[in-house]
Amino acid sequence: MSALPAYASTGQRVWHYTFRTICGVIFFFLIFPILVIVPLSFNAENFFTFTPEMLALNPEGYSLKHYEDFFTNPDWQVALKNSFAIAPVATILATALGTLAAIGLSQSHVPYRSAIMAILISPMIVPLIISAAGMYFFYSRIGLQGTYLGVVLAHAALGTPFVIITVTATLVGFDRSLTRAAASLGANPVTTFFKVQMPLIIPGVVSGALFAFITSFDEVVVVLFLGSAGQKTLPWQMFTGLREQISPTILAVASLMVFISIILLTVLEFLRRRSERLRGLTPS
């Protein structure tokens, strides 16, 4: 936030510092419950609380045993492998379908665009438990319940709306005359898409893909409905650990997932700034 000019009135100064205080309180309210799990994950005891040794910053109160348990426990490793097997495939499907849908809906001649858009983004609006129950009854009828393919398709359906929204937002500033110029020079639609349109909308495509990946990687409700023990993911294992055994290993896994989320958010911010530069805007 920029500094106040010298001619600012008393009321403007009061609002300036009040606004900064409000933003700081909101930031603390949102972030602190997430960050508090990080030091707890280094607890030397099997508790979900800060021990006197930890509060006294005694090295004996801290340990990496919960992280060691995560990387050596077969149950956690199976869940990790399933998450990294399901999420990337679901992300690829969601990105391909969402990008094509966004490009199609960006055409002014497409009828009922608003209605189609509402239907396509409905999975992110409808309560997840309802979507999961509907998918369960539908997939069980066609034999996809309890299979990797069923979970992948379900996660792709949940991630597609995020891709549609981010790509649609990128297409708002797209210059349509570029595609017409490419067509006038003899380029077919496929060549025009990959050579002209895709390089300009790639920040939105990648941003949507990251959101789709996070959606699949963190999702637990649909997996509980559609998956079997062979498809248990990290969130499923964390849910099971909280319900059946209170293991601090969950805190170590949560800390790693927070770290991954921070990396992905950093990439998203970089892509946002790059997209603004491509459109001739000044990154904020």
Side-chain angles (χ1 to χ4, degrees):
M1 186 179 296
S2 59
L4 281 172
Y7 54 81
S9 65
T10 302
Q12 289 175 329
R13 293 180 182 274
V14 170
W15 169 244
H16 174 77
Y17 292 110
T18 301
F19 181 73
R20 295 185 67 173
T21 302
I22 294 173
C23 291
V25 171
I26 295 175
F27 180 80
F28 179 82
F29 175 77
L30 295 175
I31 300 300
F32 184 76
I34 299 175
L35 296 182
V36 73
I37 67 173
V38 177
L40 279 176
S41 66
F42 295 98
N43 194 344
E45 304 296 334
N46 294 324
F47 304 124
F48 274 66
T49 184
F50 289 99
T51 61
E53 291 80 5
M54 295 183 69
L55 296 176
L57 299 180
N58 187 340
E60 295 182 357
Y62 296 87
S63 173
L64 294 174
K65 68 176 186 179
H66 303 308
Y67 289 90
E68 181 181 356
D69 179 58
F70 169 66
F71 287 108
T72 57
N73 190 308
D75 291 334
W76 286 107
Q77 288 305 296
V78 169
L80 179 64
K81 291 178 181 178
N82 284 335
S83 290
F84 278 108
I86 293 172
V89 180
T91 299
I92 294 173
L93 288 176
T95 303
L97 296 175
T99 301
L100 293 175
I103 293 174
L105 292 174
S106 67
Q107 306 297 321
S108 58
H109 60 80
V110 176
Y112 309 111
R113 287 190 300 167
S114 299
I116 297 174
M117 175 67 77
I119 294 174
L120 291 178
I121 67 173
S122 61
M124 65 184 300
I125 301 174
V126 176
L128 194 56
I129 187 69
I130 297 177
S131 298
M135 290 177 180
Y136 171 78
F137 288 112
F138 176 70
Y139 283 13
S140 61
R141 292 291 184 90
I142 60 177
L144 289 179
Q145 195 275 332
T147 65
Y148 279 101
L149 179 59
V151 176
V152 167
L153 293 177
H155 282 187
L158 296 177
T160 298
F162 294 95
V163 181
I164 293 175
I165 290 175
T166 56
V167 176
T168 300
T170 305
L171 287 169
V172 169
F174 182 75
D175 188 358
R176 301 290 175 183
S177 62
L178 297 176
T179 56
R180 291 194 294 268
S184 66
L185 294 174
N188 58 50
V190 175
T191 302
T192 301
F193 173 73
F194 284 105
K195 296 293 186 179
V196 178
Q197 199 167 20
M198 179 58 79
L200 295 177
I201 67 172
I202 193 64
V205 174
V206 176
S207 297
L210 291 177
F211 278 117
F213 179 84
I214 294 174
T215 300
S216 175
F217 199 78
D218 293 343
E219 202 284 320
V220 62
V221 178
V222 169
V223 178
L224 289 174
F225 271 81
L226 298 181
S228 63
Q231 291 92 45
K232 66 178 180 180
T233 58
L234 275 180
W236 181 347
Q237 184 65 26
M238 295 173 70
F239 177 80
T240 302
L242 286 172
R243 185 181 61 180
E244 299 179 358
Q245 55 178 358
I246 306 300
S247 172
T249 304
I250 298 172
L251 298 176
V253 179
S255 298
L256 293 174
M257 295 181 73
V258 168
F259 179 72
I260 293 174
S261 299
I262 291 174
I263 294 177
L264 293 179
L265 289 174
T266 302
V267 174
L268 285 174
E269 177 62 17
F270 170 79
L271 291 172
R272 184 187 70 84
R273 291 175 176 270
R274 181 179 182 274
S275 178
E276 290 183 351
R277 286 194 299 267
L278 289 175
R279 288 185 289 173
L281 302 176
T282 302
S284 56

